[in-house]
Amino acid sequence: HVQLVESGGGSVQAGGSLTLSCKASGFTHYCMAWFRQAPGNEREGVAAIYIGGDSTYYADSVKDRFTISHDNAKNTLYLQMNSLKPEDTAMYYCAAETSTFLCAQIATSTGAEFKYWGRGTQVTVS
């Protein structure tokens, strides 16, 4: 049974930090990613990591502010978000796929190619 469960969202003031977590279970995956979707906006890729090789990829809007990482022992994906801006406000989703190619495409991806999804965690920056 494939399962992705996000946690760590919340409300924070601009300039603050949050760390999102995504606990994965039930399958072997090679590309794990974070997406976000604000009301009225299309879902957009935020960051991705190739599990095993640890290559990371970011959207330009979050580069140098967000850091994606993965703890193999805990099978948990993280997104450390620093210097948060009001425009970072969105529902954040964890996603996974077996295709490593998808990781490198995260900056232009809407996630349509990703098969496995969590339910999301809300991040609000004011």
Side-chain angles (χ1 to χ4, degrees):
H1 175 61
V2 175
Q3 194 169 24
L4 297 172
V5 180
E6 302 98 334
S7 61
S11 296
V12 64
Q13 290 188 334
S17 299
L18 280 174
T19 300
L20 305 183
S21 301
C22 173
K23 174 68 176 175
S25 61
F27 66 106
T28 300
H29 43 276
Y30 297 105
C31 177
M32 293 194 75
W34 290 98
F35 289 82
R36 67 185 182 186
Q37 187 167 22
N41 289 1
E42 189 176 42
R43 185 172 58 197
E44 61 178 0
V46 175
I49 183 167
Y50 168 47
I51 307 302
D54 285 338
S55 295
T56 58
Y57 307 89
Y58 296 93
D60 287 344
S61 59
V62 305
K63 204 171 293 183
D64 299 327
R65 299 189 299 122
F66 291 10
T67 302
I68 189 171
S69 62
H70 183 264
D71 185 324
N72 292 334
K74 296 181 179 179
N75 207 7
T76 300
L77 180 73
Y78 300 98
L79 185 68
Q80 173 67 44
M81 306 184 294
N82 298 326
S83 302
L84 282 161
K85 304 175 181 180
E87 50 263 45
D88 294 317
T89 295
M91 184 71 80
Y92 283 71
Y93 298 92
C94 171
E97 250 299 342
T98 55
S99 169
T100 58
F101 173 77
L102 293 179
C103 272
Q105 310 302 312
I106 193 64
T108 56
S109 175
T110 61
E113 308 86 352
F114 281 75
K115 181 177 180 179
Y116 304 107
W117 290 87
R119 291 190 169 188
T121 185
Q122 176 69 36
V123 172
T124 303
V125 185
S126 59

